[in-house]
Amino acid sequence: MNTALAKEELAQILDQAVQDVTERTAGVRLQQGEQSPAGDLCTVQITFDKGFHTSLTLCADTGLLYRMACNSFHEESVSPEDLEEFSKEYFNVLCGRIAGAMFRATQVPAHFGPPVFYHGRYEPEGREIQFVLTYCDEHCGGGAQLIHHVPCSHEDGTVASEG
């Protein structure tokens, strides 16, 4: 993703996917905002291992993910295990949507590994942030950030090799 499209075009694809998938799967409308999520956070991360050498991380307020899971499951409460399962499945659907949009834009097929769930904020090793999209729900009752990571560059301008 880091060389196939201009950063602005990629950001637009990611933003559209986040808003569409979140509303359709979880009944929550997100809008871009300025306030970074803080406090009790969860992170879901994937790495594209074919097609693009990037990764995506979703860091969100646990309360927002909890509300999204409850909406998706049509339940008033969910267990911590259900929250983790929902978060991984939601992010899998989101990344599938992104991979499809990226293919339409670049004709490069992509593959990503299974989503990994973390309590707290997680930063993948050997990667640096290219850009961050920050969201709040329509009632600003929770926030999330979708972070696009690229392999770390060395000082001489070369990119770290993929392991």
Side-chain angles (χ1 to χ4, degrees), residues 13-32 58-61 64-73 86-87 89-95 97-98 133 135-138 142-146:
I13 288 171
L14 297 179
D15 177 54
Q16 188 67 48
V18 166
Q19 293 194 37
D20 288 350
V21 170
T22 304
E23 187 167 0
R24 288 180 189 204
T25 63
V28 173
R29 283 194 169 146
L30 294 179
Q31 58 193 29
Q32 287 205 27
L58 178 74
C59 183
D61 289 320
L64 174 62
L65 289 174
Y66 184 82
R67 191 160 41 90
M68 290 168 58
C70 288
N71 288 351
S72 180
F73 295 150
F86 165 79
S87 298
E89 185 58 31
Y90 161 78
F91 203 54
N92 194 51
V93 170
L94 176 62
C95 291
R97 172 74 66 89
I98 290 167
L133 300 175
Y135 297 93
C136 65
D137 75 8
E138 62 186 339
Q145 289 183 317
L146 184 65

Side-chain angles (χ1 to χ4, degrees), residues 44 79-89 117-119:
V44 191
S79 69
E81 294 80 16
D82 287 342
L83 177 69
E84 179 176 339
E85 197 56 40
F86 165 79
S87 298
K88 291 191 294 189
E89 185 58 31
F117 181 86
Y118 302 91
H119 290 282

Side-chain angles (χ1 to χ4, degrees), residues 124-163:
E125 288 186 31
R127 307 240 166 210
E128 60 189 13
I129 295 172
Q130 184 183 37
F131 63 85
V132 177
L133 300 175
T134 301
Y135 297 93
C136 65
D137 75 8
E138 62 186 339
H139 307 293
C140 288
Q145 289 183 317
L146 184 65
I147 306 163
H148 182 250
H149 292 93
V150 296
C152 287
S153 300
H154 296 291
E155 287 185 22
D156 63 4
T158 62
V159 173
S161 63
E162 294 291 311

Side-chain angles (χ1 to χ4, degrees), residues 37-74:
D40 187 15
L41 303 174
C42 293
T43 303
V44 191
Q45 189 264 338
I46 62 97
T47 298
F48 285 89
D49 51 15
K50 291 189 178 122
F52 303 107
H53 300 289
T54 62
S55 61
L56 290 172
T57 303
L58 178 74
C59 183
D61 289 320
T62 302
L64 174 62
L65 289 174
Y66 184 82
R67 191 160 41 90
M68 290 168 58
C70 288
N71 288 351
S72 180
F73 295 150
H74 305 288

